[in-house]
Amino acid sequence: MPHLTVHLPENRLAGREPELVAALTEAIVGVYGEWARDLVNIRLAGVPAGRFAQGGEAVDTIASVALGIRAGVFDRPDAAQITERLGTALTDAITLVLGEELRAGTTVELVASPQERTFVGGALAV
């Protein structure tokens, strides 16, 4: 079950949420396949102006994506290709919707969870 938490500058996000959710969902489906569409869970968090900083200066050109995925993906023979495709596709989705100037400041972190540590609705996710 891919779940994304995306922190973005509020001034860039406001009003663009539906478009960004669609683009992020398509990015995941483009890598995993259509079967994953209904499993994509997205949380968008708008960060107020002045709360993103780089090099000691406030900026509004940063996006941070944490993508929770099953740890088993890293054991696959094609793990390097899958992870690269995920990082690229999610970055592309953000820049498509919010602007190319966010590309250099977009970070995608893949957070692995063993299958036995993922629960949905209080039950172990299978």
Side-chain angles (χ1 to χ4, degrees):
M1 179 173 105
H3 52 279
L4 295 90
T5 302
V6 186
H7 290 87
L8 302 148
E10 181 64 41
N11 64 320
R12 292 181 178 269
L13 176 62
R16 309 297 301 271
E17 295 90 344
E19 188 180 357
L20 184 57
V21 165
L24 292 168
T25 301
E26 290 305 319
I28 295 295
V29 170
V31 174
Y32 282 118
E34 192 59 40
W35 66 267
R37 181 177 303 280
D38 290 340
L39 300 176
V40 177
N41 181 301
I42 300 172
R43 291 171 298 284
L44 300 177
V47 178
R51 293 198 179 167
F52 264 131
Q54 185 168 2
E57 300 292 327
V59 296
D60 73 346
T61 54
I62 291 179
S64 173
V65 180
L67 171 59
I69 58 176
R70 294 283 174 88
V73 75
F74 297 107
D75 297 330
R76 294 172 48 136
D78 59 348
Q81 292 84 12
I82 290 172
T83 57
E84 182 178 353
R85 288 177 61 207
L86 286 168
T88 300
L90 292 169
T91 300
D92 288 348
I94 289 169
T95 58
L96 173 71
V97 175
L98 300 179
E100 188 64 32
E101 61 274 14
L102 270 77
R103 182 173 299 280
T106 297
T107 302
V108 176
E109 179 182 10
L110 305 179
V111 181
S113 295
Q115 183 170 343
E116 67 274 10
R117 295 185 190 168
T118 302
F119 293 80
V120 177
L124 186 63
V126 290

